[in-house]
Amino acid sequence: MALMRTSNPALNANTFADVRRDPNAPPMTLEGTVNKAALLLFLVVVPAAWVWSQVRAALDASVAGPWIMLGVIGGLITAIVTVFKKEWSPVTAPIYAALEGLALGGLSALLETKYPGIVMQSVGLTFATLAAMLLAYRSGLIKATEKFKLGVIAATGAICLYYVIGLVLSFFRVGMPFLQGNSTASLVVSGVIVVVAALNLILDFDFIETGVNGGAPKYMEWYGAFGLMVTLIWLYLEILRLLAKARSRR
């Protein structure tokens, strides 16, 4: 079957290419994918809330450091394993969600200490964006045409390259223009990145629907939910970054 391309590394053009479903086994369903995405979200929130409480109770921001490192490194490794071993996703996707929860809880607690109220604002905007993108997709207001997909893919690739270059330059203590700081240009760049992250949700919705219509194996519900969670976490982090930049200008 012809499959779309997506900039989400977890949901790309080859995601369903190498999987085959047993005709006697139940297929991937939209309802099943949504339920599993809700479970993964729960598995993000629980450890995030726990780390948050630890940092707030200790009144010491350094408490968050080890949890952020564990979550980032462990989450990256688990995500890579999940991408290459899709059939393991019923196990690796929940592990990924929990590890990312540790990182998000620590980072959120740090920024909340510096900018009170920023986390609730970010969470609210993230879910509002998710709802808006889902409504726009289901109503046909935004259609995942080939030109739309290619545009989002190109923009996301450019952002990834931008971040990689910034990471490399940081090792030499060189700041990437517009990546740090709270200048007007930096705020505009962050705003554009938030928009691109939001548009990735459209591609993810369309891709999951394609898998469902193509009769993908049941375990791909977990994989589809995992891919959606990757985008949602990215969106939250970018909104958090944008609000932190804006608040630092006051």
Side-chain angles (χ1 to χ4, degrees):
M1 58 184 167
L3 293 173
M4 58 160 276
R5 290 174 290 178
T6 171
S7 51
N8 187 330
L11 303 178
N12 55 53
N14 298 317
T15 298
F16 296 106
D18 57 352
V19 297
R20 296 292 182 269
R21 182 175 71 85
D22 181 349
N24 297 318
M28 174 184 183
T29 66
L30 185 59
E31 181 181 4
T33 305
V34 170
N35 290 339
K36 289 172 176 60
L39 177 58
L40 292 186
L41 184 60
F42 175 77
L43 292 176
V44 170
V45 171
V46 170
W50 182 80
V51 173
W52 171 288
S53 65
Q54 295 298 304
V55 176
R56 305 291 282 183
L59 299 176
D60 183 2
S62 65
V63 172
W67 296 115
I68 293 175
M69 291 299 297
L70 174 62
V72 170
I73 296 174
L76 177 60
I77 294 173
T78 307
I80 293 173
V81 171
T82 305
V83 169
F84 285 99
K85 286 290 184 178
K86 303 174 184 65
E87 64 273 19
W88 293 1
S89 58
V91 174
T92 57
I95 293 174
Y96 166 81
L99 288 169
E100 286 298 313
L102 295 176
L104 293 180
L107 181 60
S108 297
L110 288 179
L111 287 175
E112 181 70 18
T113 300
K114 191 172 183 179
Y115 307 113
I118 192 173
V119 170
M120 288 304 298
Q121 291 175 350
S122 299
V123 170
L125 287 171
T126 299
F127 282 104
T129 302
L130 174 63
M133 291 296 102
L134 181 57
L135 179 61
Y137 174 71
R138 298 303 296 176
S139 67
L141 182 62
I142 299 180
K143 296 181 179 180
T145 63
E146 285 304 314
K147 288 184 178 180
F148 176 86
K149 297 169 193 174
L150 289 174
V152 175
I153 290 167
T156 305
I159 291 169
C160 289
L161 180 61
Y162 187 72
Y163 277 146
V164 169
I165 294 175
L167 178 62
V168 172
L169 290 178
S170 69
F171 293 143
F172 302 95
R173 297 185 178 181
V174 177
M176 188 72 172
F178 314 130
L179 191 57
Q180 294 88 22
N182 59 1
S183 66
T184 300
S186 180
L187 285 172
V188 170
V189 169
S190 286
V192 170
I193 294 175
V194 167
V195 171
V196 173
L199 292 177
N200 268 271
L201 290 171
I202 298 293
L203 270 63
D204 294 342
F205 297 150
D206 187 65
F207 190 86
I208 291 171
E209 189 171 48
T210 300
V212 170
N213 293 337
K218 190 70 172 177
Y219 69 80
M220 292 300 287
E221 292 177 352
W222 283 104
Y223 192 80
F226 158 74
L228 185 60
M229 203 55 50
V230 169
T231 300
L232 201 58
I233 289 172
W234 177 36
L235 177 62
Y236 169 75
L237 289 173
E238 294 300 343
I239 290 176
L240 196 63
R241 180 199 295 267
L242 176 60
L243 292 181
K245 288 182 177 181
R247 295 277 290 272
S248 68
R249 289 166 63 97
R250 298 179 181 176

